[in-house]
């Protein structure tokens, strides 16, 4: 888990070095590459460990960016994993890496926005930002899911299958 957390942190730092996308404000332009590590853990290590990794990533955000970022990361990360777990349990043989990634990204964004609105006591933000975050989650979840699909054969060779 320590090695996986290190890899996730490296991906977080690499992603922060990428320039923001011109059509989105910088806070919305996170692809979520570190979620590849969470999904790897989800499929090959265990579901409980995936939740633990989500919490560890949130703790890292708490240390690096403060309590609000840590809380939002925790809410988004754990809800994202819960959504992926529910879909995996319901549709195990029919769900793809990309669809799980998209659902997780959309769930992550929705949970973070919900938590931010609770903190700010401003529900107008929810109605304004929700469509933007749903679209961003679908786009970036697809990118992350496709990335995972490309590297998954390597993971399967290492672990002997899903």
């Amino acid at each position: 888990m320590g090695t996986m957390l290190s890899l996730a942190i490296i991906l977080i730092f690499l992603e922060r070095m990428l320039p923001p996308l011109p059509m989105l404000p910088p806070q919305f332009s996170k692809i979520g590459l570190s979620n590849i590590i969470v999904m790897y853990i989800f499929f090959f290590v265990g579901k409980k460990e995936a939740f633990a990794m989500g919490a560890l990533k949130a703790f890292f955000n708490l240390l690096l960016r403060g309590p609000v970022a840590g809380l939002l990361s925790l809410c988004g990360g754990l809800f994202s994993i819960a959504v992926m777990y529910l879909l995996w349990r319901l549709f195990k043989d029919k769900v793809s890496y990309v669809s799980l990634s998209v659902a997780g990204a959309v769930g992550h964004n929705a949970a973070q926005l919900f938590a931010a609105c609770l903190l700010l006591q401003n529900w107008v933000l929810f109605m304004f930002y929700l469509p933007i975050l749903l679209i961003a989650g679908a786009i970036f979840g697809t990118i992350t899911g496709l990335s995972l699909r490309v590297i998954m054969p390597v993971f399967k060779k290492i672990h002997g299958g899903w």
Side-chain angles (χ1 to χ4, degrees):
M1 288 295 284
T3 302
M4 293 295 109
L5 179 60
S6 297
L7 289 171
I9 290 170
I10 289 167
L11 288 173
I12 289 168
F13 278 119
L14 289 174
E15 187 174 341
R16 287 192 181 150
M17 286 195 262
L18 296 173
L21 296 175
M23 67 264 192
L24 294 173
Q27 65 268 28
F28 296 147
S29 61
K30 307 268 185 303
I31 297 171
L33 294 177
S34 66
N35 293 325
I36 293 170
I37 303 300
V38 174
M39 291 183 76
Y40 164 80
I41 292 169
F42 183 89
F43 290 117
F44 292 107
V45 179
K47 309 311 181 251
K48 290 178 188 172
E49 290 83 356
F51 280 102
M53 182 56 64
L56 288 170
K57 284 178 46 184
F59 182 69
F60 175 74
N61 263 323
L62 169 75
L63 294 176
L64 193 66
R65 298 175 61 211
V68 172
L71 176 67
L72 295 179
S73 178
L74 183 67
C75 292
L78 295 184
F79 188 74
S80 168
I81 298 164
V83 167
M84 290 189 299
Y85 179 75
L86 180 64
L87 287 175
W88 179 79
R89 290 287 293 177
L90 293 174
F91 307 106
K92 188 173 185 178
D93 297 330
K94 296 176 183 132
V95 70
S96 70
Y97 299 130
V98 175
S99 60
L100 282 177
S101 181
V102 168
V106 168
H108 186 281
N109 287 350
Q112 278 193 331
L113 180 59
F114 184 79
C117 289
L118 275 176
L119 286 173
L120 297 172
Q121 295 294 303
N122 185 346
W123 295 99
V124 173
L125 291 174
F126 192 83
M127 298 309 294
F128 178 75
Y129 282 115
L130 186 64
I132 297 167
L133 290 174
L134 292 179
I135 293 168
I139 292 168
F140 297 141
T142 300
I143 292 168
T144 302
L146 289 173
S147 301
L148 178 67
R149 192 167 69 183
V150 166
I151 62 174
M152 196 51 92
V154 175
F155 291 153
K156 285 182 178 181
K157 278 186 178 181
I158 293 169
H159 286 85
W162 174 357

